[in-house]
Amino acid sequence: HAPARLEKCARGAAHLWDGASVRRREIIALFIVDVRERPAVGLSEAENGREALEGYVRVLDVLGAEITKLDALILRRAEADPACALLQTIPGIGVFSSALLVSEIGDVQRFATAGKLCAWAGMVPSLYSSGGVTRHGSITKQGNVWVRWVLCECSTAAVRGGRRFRNLYDRV
């Protein structure tokens, strides 16, 4: 009967799932695994589940407050940075994307050409050559993972945000 009561406690947490953010869903999933695999000694299954869930929610609230503070700090710094402001004129690039690009790339003048910057970021096609035949493959993914990730996210936002980029995307 103990596993049945534990399942009931886990199902009780499931009502929190609907409408929850991705972070809250991750916490709820951790709670369900934690309660099933590591029950606290001396507590009933229901008490164990409630204590675990309340602890996870407290952690989530503290982390949420810290994330909010850091978001505000990044926003203030990005608004004061002329390089971020310039990047934000490109469709699809917002405040946080521009801040990430500036922090990861650093001084853009260290790259002799745009192609070298693209190669550093791993955004150039791979090249296969044998017997006089050359074939271009997918991007190399050999560079900075954060720059590559944010550029892909920004390109998706640009495609969704305007007909001009959507037409180009459809054509290519």
Side-chain angles (χ1 to χ4, degrees):
H1 290 236
R5 288 195 307 264
L6 189 55
E7 285 297 319
K8 183 178 180 184
C9 181
R11 281 194 309 271
H15 80 277
L16 298 172
W17 189 270
D18 293 333
S21 68
V22 172
R23 288 185 186 130
R24 285 206 185 265
R25 286 183 180 195
E26 289 172 355
I27 293 296
I28 293 167
L30 285 173
F31 152 73
I32 292 169
V33 169
D34 191 37
V35 169
R36 286 183 181 155
E37 294 181 1
R38 298 184 294 125
V41 177
L43 294 177
S44 71
E45 288 83 6
E47 290 171 328
N48 179 46
R50 186 177 62 249
E51 289 297 320
L53 182 59
E54 287 173 358
Y56 284 129
V57 169
R58 283 191 302 271
V59 168
L60 185 63
D61 290 340
V62 168
L63 290 175
E66 288 301 311
I67 289 170
T68 302
K69 287 179 194 174
L70 290 173
D71 283 350
L73 177 66
I74 292 169
L75 183 63
R76 282 194 311 272
R77 289 187 179 176
E79 288 174 345
D81 189 337
C84 287
L86 184 60
L87 282 170
Q88 290 175 48
T89 62
I90 300 170
I93 297 183
V95 175
F96 291 99
S97 301
S98 66
L100 178 64
L101 287 168
V102 167
S103 68
E104 289 294 318
I105 294 171
D107 183 17
V108 75
Q109 298 299 322
R110 66 189 174 118
F111 300 101
T113 64
K116 292 192 182 209
L117 172 61
C118 292
W120 173 83
M123 297 293 288
V124 294
S126 56
L127 186 63
Y128 302 98
S129 185
S130 177
V133 176
T134 301
R135 186 176 69 82
H136 295 277
S138 61
I139 62 172
T140 62
K141 297 185 181 179
Q142 295 296 311
N144 187 297
V145 65
W146 293 109
V147 170
R148 197 168 49 253
W149 170 76
V150 78
L151 288 175
C152 290
E153 292 296 316
C154 291
S155 65
T156 301
V159 166
R160 287 188 191 150
R163 186 164 207 81
R164 175 179 167 207
F165 291 102
R166 182 59 171 173
N167 291 340
L168 178 63
Y169 176 81
D170 289 339
R171 192 179 79 217
V172 173

